[in-house]
Amino acid sequence: MPDTTALKSTDASAAPVDAPPPATDAGPAPGKPRSLWSDAWHDLRRNPLFIISMVLILLLAVMSIFPGLFTSASPREANLAEHYLQHPNWGHFFAPDWLGYDGQGRSIYARLVYGARASITVGVVVTLAVTITGLIIGMLAGYFGGWIDTILSRITDVFFGVPFIVGAMVILTSFEKRSVWVVILSLAFLGWTSIARVARGSVITIKQADYVVAAKALGASTTRILTRHILPNAIAPVIVVATIALGGYIAAEATLSFLGIGLAEPTVSWGIDVSAAKDQLRNAPYVLVIPSVMVSITVLSFLMFGDAVRNALDPKMR
């Protein structure tokens, strides 16, 4: 007679058929692989450098678009009799006299707020212009090669050999009235060479990829290959260079305005204020220091942003 007790013990200890497998240390099953952009965004969200720079850039953007949200004072209203080089009143936050008054009796805080518009406009528009120009020239030179590459590369070398600030000074001195758009055109005319070189190198590497060769074999047009296959894969290093260069264009505008060759009155600009305050360095150093610090913070914000984007988009930097 069989031992039923032993059979019951064995059946009780046996695991059911539909029981889940025991947990292992292998971790969860890998999900759908992320693309380059989603992977970069995943890294950027965890980068304190990116968060700090993005907050500062957003603040500067809002200040340039809606200056009335930050001050009700006019940046051009002058009162020499009452406010000539009046010292800052640190207790009146965001009031017209918070940062004092300049040598013309104008509110430094109001001019600081309204001066953001000219600097941000110049930096952003010049960056967009040089990115589009450099990207088109670099893609054409890198994709077609041959005599097209030779001609475009030599033209790029000629522009690249011109010192940026000196060339901009030569162009701007030929204009009697130097508005924001004149400064933008002069900087964009000389600033596209670096992006063109980066785009050319990326396109030369990408056009040898299998998916580009397959698209050519299937009879895809040149326009389709450039826009659908090469451009999305070559844009990453261009974006990195453009974001880093944006801060340099803001610094260039401030430098030209300081030298008296860039923007001129009645345009409100940080560079103009720094140039006007250089004679008051001994009597009222704050008139020079405050707009200079604002320029430095703005340039540093964009450089930090570009550095964070470079680290996220370049796998070698991780």
Side-chain angles (χ1 to χ4, degrees):
M1 185 174 181
D3 189 358
T4 57
T5 306
L7 289 174
K8 292 179 179 179
S9 175
T10 304
D11 295 337
S13 61
V17 177
D18 56 349
T24 61
D25 296 334
K32 184 179 179 181
R34 293 193 298 261
S35 64
L36 172 65
W37 300 104
S38 61
D39 194 28
W41 175 243
H42 181 268
D43 292 340
L44 287 173
R45 288 182 301 175
R46 289 159 177 77
N47 190 345
L49 196 68
F50 171 78
I51 295 174
I52 295 173
S53 62
M54 197 63 194
V55 170
L56 292 174
I57 291 172
L58 289 176
L59 180 62
L60 291 169
V62 174
M63 185 183 297
S64 63
I65 298 173
F66 306 107
L69 297 177
F70 296 85
T71 181
S72 59
S74 172
R76 298 184 180 90
E77 183 179 353
N79 191 334
L80 280 173
E82 297 183 7
H83 301 310
Y84 173 75
L85 293 182
Q86 182 176 329
H87 289 274
N89 190 346
W90 304 114
H92 294 177
F93 293 105
F94 308 119
D97 62 341
W98 177 37
L99 300 178
Y101 292 84
D102 61 7
Q104 300 294 327
R106 300 171 299 190
S107 171
I108 295 178
Y109 173 63
R111 293 188 65 82
L112 207 67
V113 172
Y114 281 86
R117 175 175 296 177
S119 298
I120 299 298
T121 301
V122 170
V124 172
V125 177
V126 171
T127 301
L128 291 175
V130 300
T131 300
I132 295 173
T133 305
L135 192 58
I136 293 174
I137 293 176
M139 287 181 62
L140 294 177
Y143 181 78
F144 291 105
W147 64 271
I148 296 179
D149 183 20
T150 301
I151 294 176
L152 293 179
S153 296
R154 297 296 77 80
I155 294 175
T156 303
D157 292 339
V158 170
F159 278 86
F160 191 79
V162 178
F164 185 66
I165 296 296
V166 176
M169 291 170 60
V170 172
I171 295 174
L172 289 172
T173 51
S174 61
F175 291 91
E176 294 183 0
K177 295 182 179 180
R178 296 181 295 274
S179 63
V180 173
W181 293 106
V182 172
V183 175
I184 288 173
L185 291 176
S186 63
L187 295 180
F189 183 72
L190 300 171
W192 54 269
T193 54
S194 298
I195 292 181
R197 287 186 167 190
V198 172
R200 175 182 176 272
S202 299
V203 172
I204 290 176
T205 303
I206 293 171
K207 74 176 183 178
Q208 302 172 2
D210 294 338
Y211 56 87
V212 177
V213 176
K216 291 180 180 179
L218 292 173
S221 63
T222 301
T223 304
R224 181 178 178 84
I225 294 174
L226 287 173
T227 57
R228 296 293 298 273
H229 300 285
I230 291 181
L231 179 60
N233 293 282
I235 195 71
V238 173
I239 291 177
V240 172
V241 175
T243 51
I244 295 177
L246 199 155
Y249 296 132
I250 294 176
E253 179 273 321
T255 301
L256 293 171
S257 299
F258 174 78
L259 296 174
I261 305 173
L263 299 176
E265 296 284 358
T267 304
V268 182
S269 169
W270 296 332
I272 295 175
D273 291 346
V274 173
S275 178
K278 63 181 182 295
D279 297 330
Q280 307 293 339
L281 183 58
R282 285 190 174 184
N283 301 330
Y286 61 90
V287 180
L288 174 66
V289 171
I290 292 174
S292 301
V293 170
M294 198 65 183
V295 173
S296 301
I297 292 175
T298 304
V299 174
L300 182 61
S301 299
F302 284 102
L303 291 179
M304 290 167 54
F305 178 81
D307 190 61
V309 172
R310 180 192 62 185
N311 294 341
L313 293 177
D314 190 356
K316 297 178 182 179
M317 301 297 295
R318 299 176 186 173

